[in-house]
């Protein structure tokens, strides 16, 4: 008999399970209370009178309806301290959820377009990363995302602006409005980023068609696909991530909030695990989508009837998919094994 005999025990096992978060837009962790505090601190006026009315606007119908509000929220970030405070708030919540390693997306163009310097953004985020290591024991890395609704030229300019900071972020990603902005638009920027030694990931198949996943793999040569939930529409696309062990960073609550699936019971995460895909669970924009990492685990597992073995697989996948050295990966997996041992899970 295993020690996990009922839902409460499963919940405790999952809550304390060591895990990596690989798909979190740090600007998407900005809670309404912090948005208003920063707006006041920086003298920025918001199109909402208070926290309640802002939160009430979080009723999204698709990705674009969310992005409009997400970019408005990010407009309160001006100073290095703002970026620090935002990321530090995330790290404290992540720590409470058992996150021991996090790879944070940031959207510099959202800030540089408003006159905030690249250095200000990176300095603030990096100091929060250092603090997370010192005070919470969380390892973290930064991934610079290009906004795909902007031009290739703007992405090149952003990469150029980030060049003095190489070594302070580990890779590039691609986010914002997917449909109408296929990966190949950024093929040359990604080639240059890879030439600079950066890792490559991209959002693909969130709302967009399976072809965008092919594009991300073949043209951008990404090592992970962010979302990728549309891959199951193309049987050939399932075979490839399994064979090549290309991870998908799945964000279940995000997919429901943005109406990608009707509800969590219709989500294909369980099917992905059955097929042997290296799927991981992530929170995407937790301040907007109804919860941080453990909330994603609890709600999805309960809706799909997933048990401790699936949770363990998802955590192991998160370490396999992370951009860490083999030695650190091994150490993470040993921490996971020790946790399972404490719960008498062989
Ligand atoms: N930017 C922040 N969250 C995003 C998402 N879920 N998809 C695309 N771009 C994003
Ligand atoms: Zn995302």
């Amino acid at each position: 008999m295993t020690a996990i005999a009922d839902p409460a025990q499963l919940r405790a096992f999952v809550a304390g399970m060591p895990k990596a978060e690989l798909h979190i837009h740090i600007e998407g962790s900005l809670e309404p209370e912090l948005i208003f505090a920063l707006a006041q601190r920086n003298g920025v006026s918001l199109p909402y009178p208070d926290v309640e009315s802002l939160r009430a606007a979080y009723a999204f119908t698709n990705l674009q309806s969310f992005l409009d509000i997400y970019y408005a929220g990010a407009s309160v970030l001006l100073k290095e301290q703002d970026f620090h405070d935002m990321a530090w708030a995330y790290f404290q919540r992540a720590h409470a959820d058992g996150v021991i390693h996090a790879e944070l997306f940031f959207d510099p163009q959202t800030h540089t377009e408003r006159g905030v310097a690249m250095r200000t953004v990176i300095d603030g985020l990096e100091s929060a990363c250092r603090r997370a290591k010192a005070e919470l024991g969380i390892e973290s890395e930064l991934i610079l995302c290009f906004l795909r609704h902007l031009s290739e030229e703007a992405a090149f300019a952003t990469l150029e602006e980030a060049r003095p900071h190489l070594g302070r972020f580990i890779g590039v990603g691609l986010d914002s409005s997917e449909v109408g902005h296929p990966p190949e638009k950024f093929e040359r920027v990604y080639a240059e980023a890879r030439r600079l030694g950066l890792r490559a990931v991209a959002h693909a198949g969130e709302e967009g068609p399976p072809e965008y996943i092919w594009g991300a793999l073949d043209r951008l040569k990404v090592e992970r696909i962010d979302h990728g939930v549309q891959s199951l529409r193309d049987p050939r696309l399932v075979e490839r991530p399994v064979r090549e062990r290309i991870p998908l960073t799945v964000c279940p609550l995000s997919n429901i909030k943005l109406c990608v699936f009707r509800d969590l019971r219709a989500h294909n995460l369980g099917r992905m695990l059955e097929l042997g895909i290296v799927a991981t669970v992530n929170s995407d924009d937790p301040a907007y989508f109804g919860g941080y990492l453990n909330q994603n685990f609890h709600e999805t597992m309960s809706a799909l009837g997933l048990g401790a073995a699936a949770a363990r697989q998802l955590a192991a996948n998160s370490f396999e998919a992370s951009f860490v050295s083999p030695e650190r990966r091994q150490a993470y997996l040993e921490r996971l094994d020790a946790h399972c041992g404490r719960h008498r899970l062989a």
Side-chain angles (χ1 to χ4, degrees):
M1 197 172 87
T2 81
I4 297 174
D6 63 44
Q9 287 170 341
L10 179 58
R11 196 178 168 89
F13 169 74
V14 169
M17 181 174 71
K19 28 181 117 63
E21 177 147 56
L22 307 175
H23 186 158
I24 157 83
H25 301 264
I26 199 60
E27 293 90 347
S29 73
L30 208 43
E31 292 286 343
E33 290 77 7
L34 188 53
I35 291 179
F36 273 86
L38 294 180
Q40 192 167 33
R41 191 158 97 185
N42 291 330
V44 174
S45 67
L46 291 166
Y48 300 91
D50 50 35
V51 164
E52 290 67 38
S53 51
L54 175 58
R55 218 186 273 283
Y58 294 178
F60 312 117
T61 50
N62 57 21
L63 175 57
Q64 193 60 50
S65 65
F66 154 69
L67 289 171
D68 293 341
I69 290 190
Y70 163 83
Y71 294 129
S75 71
V76 300
L77 297 160
L78 291 178
K79 312 245 171 62
E80 181 183 331
Q81 187 68 45
D82 306 335
F83 292 92
H84 176 99
D85 292 349
M86 168 175 69
W88 176 241
Y90 162 72
F91 281 126
Q92 289 172 282
R93 289 174 182 266
H95 181 61
D97 279 2
V99 173
I100 60 170
H101 177 93
E103 297 180 8
L104 274 48
F105 293 144
F106 68 110
D107 285 343
Q109 287 159 294
T110 305
H111 315 300
T112 53
E113 279 203 327
R114 296 180 291 114
V116 178
M118 179 73 77
R119 174 177 300 282
T120 303
V121 179
I122 297 182
D123 283 354
L125 296 178
E126 195 183 50
S127 70
C129 291
R130 274 198 305 269
R131 186 173 175 191
K133 170 74 181 151
E135 296 185 29
L136 307 171
I138 299 182
E139 300 281 351
S140 58
E141 302 287 358
L142 299 174
I143 296 180
L144 180 158
C145 287
F146 302 114
L147 299 183
R148 69 201 302 160
H149 68 275
L150 299 179
S151 65
E152 180 199 38
E153 192 188 358
F156 264 120
T158 300
L159 189 55
E160 197 50 42
E161 250 184 291
R163 231 180 221 276
H165 307 286
L166 282 177
R168 304 178 74 191
F169 59 100
I170 55 163
V172 294
L174 187 63
D175 63 6
S176 191
S177 322
E178 185 180 13
V179 175
H181 301 285
E184 45 273 28
K185 179 174 165 187
F186 298 95
E187 184 167 5
R188 295 188 302 180
V189 186
Y190 267 67
E192 177 62 9
R194 283 187 283 100
R195 204 187 60 75
L196 293 172
L198 292 164
R199 316 295 296 251
V201 302
H203 283 53
E206 178 182 14
E207 282 184 343
E211 294 77 62
Y212 283 20
I213 301 175
W214 287 111
L217 293 172
D218 293 334
R219 310 281 288 269
L220 306 185
K221 305 203 184 329
V222 299
E223 300 167 74
R224 295 197 300 244
I225 295 283
D226 297 313
H227 292 293
V229 291
Q230 305 297 339
S231 59
L232 269 56
R233 283 165 50 191
D234 181 345
R236 292 168 309 150
L237 251 183
V238 171
E239 191 197 303
R240 185 156 171 203
V242 172
R243 194 179 54 234
E244 298 180 17
R245 296 199 75 69
I246 296 162
L248 303 188
T249 63
V250 178
C251 307
L253 289 179
S254 161
N255 293 150
I256 304 314
K257 276 283 183 191
L258 301 186
C259 307
V260 174
F261 293 95
R262 188 183 65 249
D263 57 37
L264 277 176
R265 281 166 306 168
H267 201 285
N268 56 19
L269 179 71
R271 182 86 189 110
M272 286 181 183
L273 292 179
E274 284 166 13
L275 291 166
I277 291 175
V278 185
T280 66
V281 168
N282 305 271
S283 67
D284 206 6
D285 300 284
Y288 294 89
F289 297 152
Y292 287 76
L293 193 49
N294 277 351
Q295 195 69 23
N296 273 271
F297 268 95
H298 295 319
E299 288 195 35
T300 310
M301 289 180 59
S302 146
L304 298 178
L306 301 176
R312 181 184 195 163
Q313 184 68 58
L314 288 163
N317 288 352
S318 75
F319 297 133
E320 176 177 346
S322 65
F323 291 143
V324 296
S325 66
E327 294 74 30
R328 186 171 292 171
R329 179 171 298 115
Q330 189 53 35
Y332 288 159
L333 289 168
E334 283 168 15
R335 283 177 71 173
L336 176 60
D337 285 347
H339 177 75
C340 293
R342 282 191 294 276
H343 286 259
R344 286 187 277 137
L345 206 71

